[in-house]
Amino acid sequence: MVAVAAGRGWPYFDPEYDTLSSRINPPRVVIDNCACDDATLVKLDSVNRHGILLEVVQVLTDLDLSISKAYISSDGGWFMDVFHVTDQSGNKITDQGLIQYIHQALGDKSENAEADVETSFTKTVGVQSLSEHTVIELSGTDRPGLLSEISAVLTDLECNVVAAEVWTHNMRVACLVYITDQQTGGPLRDDDRLASIKKSLRQVLQGDDSQRLARTDFSAGVTHTERRLHQIMYDDRDYEGGGHLSKSEVDDNKIKTIVSVQNCFEKGYSVVNVQCRDRPKLLFDTVCTLTDMQYVVFHATINTEGHIAFQEFYIRHMDGCLLDSEAERQRVIKCTEAAIERRISEVCFTMGCSSFVKICQYVF
C-alpha cells in the first residue's frame, strides 16, 4: 500500500504490503498417491516470487527424492508445480512423517503450522549451522594432495574438521570445510587467528590470484551447501575449461550431455533444452544454475525415459529480456553443462581431522 507520509513529500510504503498476497493466499500443497501408478504427485499452488522453484526443488532433493517428471508454470503472479517423485528405491512416498514434513516445508510457514510438525525430518539437510562451526570456502587449481595439505594446515592450527564437501571440474576445485576450535569445540572467534588461517590456506593454493583466495565466512545467513558450491565454481569460471570429454560422456553408456538455447520470439521466451543421463539431484543442479545466473523460469517440462533425462525451460532474464546475443546463449550452454558435470566428482567427508587427513591422502 502506498500513501503520502504525514508532513512529508515522499510516498510511504507499508512493509506489510509486500507479504500481503502470501498471507491472504498461503501456499497450497497436495500430495497425491492415487493419480499415478508409479509415483507420488506433489502439487504446489502459490503466489509467485523469484527463487520459489529452486526452493521447492531443493526441499525435495534434500529428502533424497527422485523427480522423474515435472510440469512447471509461473506466468503472472501465480506459481503452479506438479512433481512426480519416488524414494531412492523407486517407491511411492508413504511415510506419514515425511509427507507431513513436505507439507510444512512447502506450505504455510506461519508459526502455528511450524509448531505442529515434530518429525525426524525437521533438520534441513544440506545446510550447516554457522552458530556451531566456522565455514572456510576454498577455490583454486585442483592437484593431487591438495586436500591432504589443507587438512594438515588446519590440524597444525588446532582446528577440528567437522565436515567437508569438495567438487572438482575442469581442473578447478571448490571446497567447503566446516571447522571448530579443538579447545572449545565451537566456532573460531579470534580475528587474528582467522587471519592466520586464511594466510596459511592461501599459501597452500600456491599462487592463485586474488579471486581464488581461501575465504572464511561468518555471515549470519546460511546458504545451502550444494548451492554454495555451484556459486563458488561459477564465480571461479570452471565452465571456461572444457576441451575434453566429461565423465558422463565416457562412462555412462555413451549418453552425451546436450544443451541448446533458442529464442521463441512469438511467445517471448528463450528456450533451454537439456538432454543427458538421468541421475539424482539433476533438476536441482540445472535450476540452481539458471536461478543464480539471474534467469527466471516461467514454464518447464521435465521427463525421464529410462536412463535419459529431458528438461525444457522457458526463461527470461530478470529484467524481462530474452537471451539476445550468441555470446550469452553460449554462456548459458557452458554453465548448464558445467552444473551437470560438477557433481560427478563430488567428495563429501564428515569426520574428525585425523581421519580426514588419511582419506585425503588415499583419494588424492
Side-chain angles (χ1 to χ4, degrees):
M1 181 177 295
V2 182
V4 177
R8 308 286 185 180
W10 57 82
Y12 165 73
F13 293 88
D14 186 346
E16 295 292 320
Y17 185 73
D18 287 340
T19 60
L20 179 62
S21 294
S22 59
R23 286 184 285 114
I24 294 176
N25 301 294
R28 185 173 70 94
V29 180
V30 175
I31 299 178
D32 186 348
N33 269 318
C34 299
C36 182
D37 292 336
D38 57 1
T40 297
L41 269 58
V42 178
K43 306 175 184 178
L44 175 67
D45 295 336
S46 173
V47 173
N48 191 28
R49 56 182 171 77
H50 181 61
I52 187 173
L53 174 59
L54 177 57
E55 291 178 15
V56 174
V57 173
Q58 180 176 299
V59 167
L60 299 177
T61 299
D62 283 347
L63 293 170
D64 288 330
L65 301 179
S66 297
I67 301 172
S68 58
K69 296 181 180 180
Y71 306 96
I72 296 154
S73 179
S74 61
D75 253 344
W78 204 253
F79 173 81
M80 294 178 289
D81 273 7
V82 178
F83 296 94
H84 292 233
V85 303
T86 59
D87 62 20
Q88 291 299 300
S89 300
N91 301 316
K92 292 185 178 183
I93 310 306
T94 57
D95 185 302
Q96 290 303 309
L98 177 55
I99 290 174
Q100 190 178 17
Y101 176 77
I102 294 172
H103 272 290
Q104 181 235 317
L106 300 182
D108 188 359
K109 296 294 194 300
S110 67
E111 293 182 4
N112 290 337
E114 291 182 356
D116 290 340
V117 179
E118 291 292 340
T119 76
S120 60
F121 306 102
T122 54
K123 181 178 180 181
T124 303
V125 181
V127 176
Q128 299 284 348
S129 171
L130 295 183
S131 64
E132 300 175 359
H133 311 107
T134 296
V135 183
I136 303 175
E137 299 181 354
L138 302 172
S139 63
T141 302
D142 189 26
R143 56 181 170 78
L146 178 61
L147 293 185
S148 179
E149 293 179 34
I150 291 171
S151 70
V153 167
L154 294 174
T155 300
D156 290 342
L157 294 170
E158 298 184 345
C159 299
N160 183 55
V161 176
V162 178
E165 189 154 356
V166 183
W167 286 1
T168 63
H169 179 244
N170 281 341
M171 295 307 297
R172 306 302 301 171
V173 61
C175 180
L176 292 181
V177 185
Y178 297 85
I179 66 172
T180 57
D181 189 319
Q182 286 185 1
Q183 300 298 320
T184 67
L188 281 66
R189 304 293 188 187
D190 184 81
D191 290 341
D192 291 338
R193 188 177 177 193
L194 292 168
S196 176
I197 291 172
K198 292 174 68 174
K199 181 179 179 180
S200 298
L201 291 175
R202 289 193 197 105
Q203 294 172 352
V204 171
L205 292 174
Q206 289 186 341
D208 277 345
D209 62 31
S210 60
Q211 295 181 342
R212 296 175 175 132
L213 298 179
R215 299 176 56 206
T216 302
D217 187 356
F218 298 100
S219 173
V222 178
T223 301
H224 185 272
T225 298
E226 294 173 352
R227 183 177 185 185
R228 187 65 192 128
L229 285 167
H230 275 302
Q231 292 171 343
I232 293 171
M233 297 215 82
Y234 173 74
D235 291 341
D236 195 50
R237 303 186 303 279
D238 71 310
Y239 55 86
E240 293 179 350
H244 61 273
L245 292 177
S246 68
K247 285 187 179 181
S248 60
E249 292 182 43
V250 175
D251 298 335
D252 294 338
N253 300 323
K254 304 298 184 180
I255 298 175
K256 293 185 178 181
T257 297
I258 302 173
V259 182
S260 63
V261 180
Q262 295 89 28
N263 282 332
C264 183
F265 292 104
E266 61 272 20
K267 295 185 178 180
Y269 299 109
S270 294
V271 185
V272 179
N273 280 287
V274 177
Q275 177 181 323
C276 64
R277 184 173 180 83
D278 188 35
R279 60 162 175 78
K281 302 185 179 182
L282 176 63
L283 183 57
F284 170 82
D285 294 335
T286 51
V287 170
C288 180
T289 297
L290 292 173
T291 302
D292 284 336
M293 292 181 72
Q294 303 301 306
Y295 294 108
V296 179
V297 176
F298 289 90
H299 301 279
T301 302
I302 312 301
N303 191 29
T304 302
E305 297 180 5
H307 296 296
I308 305 177
F310 301 90
Q311 301 180 348
E312 184 176 57
F313 302 97
Y314 289 77
I315 69 171
R316 298 189 195 119
H317 199 272
M318 284 191 65
D319 60 10
C321 295
L322 304 186
L323 283 67
D324 292 327
S325 70
E326 180 62 22
E328 185 177 15
R329 289 192 289 271
Q330 288 300 317
R331 183 165 167 267
V332 169
I333 289 172
K334 289 183 178 180
C335 290
T336 304
E337 289 175 344
I340 293 169
E341 294 173 2
R342 286 171 192 147
R343 192 180 292 276
I344 297 171
S345 54
E346 173 184 2
V347 180
C348 183
F349 303 97
T350 304
M351 60 193 67
C353 199
S354 59
S355 299
F356 180 69
V357 174
K358 293 176 183 177
I359 291 185
C360 285
Q361 291 171 339
Y362 177 77
V363 175
F364 297 90

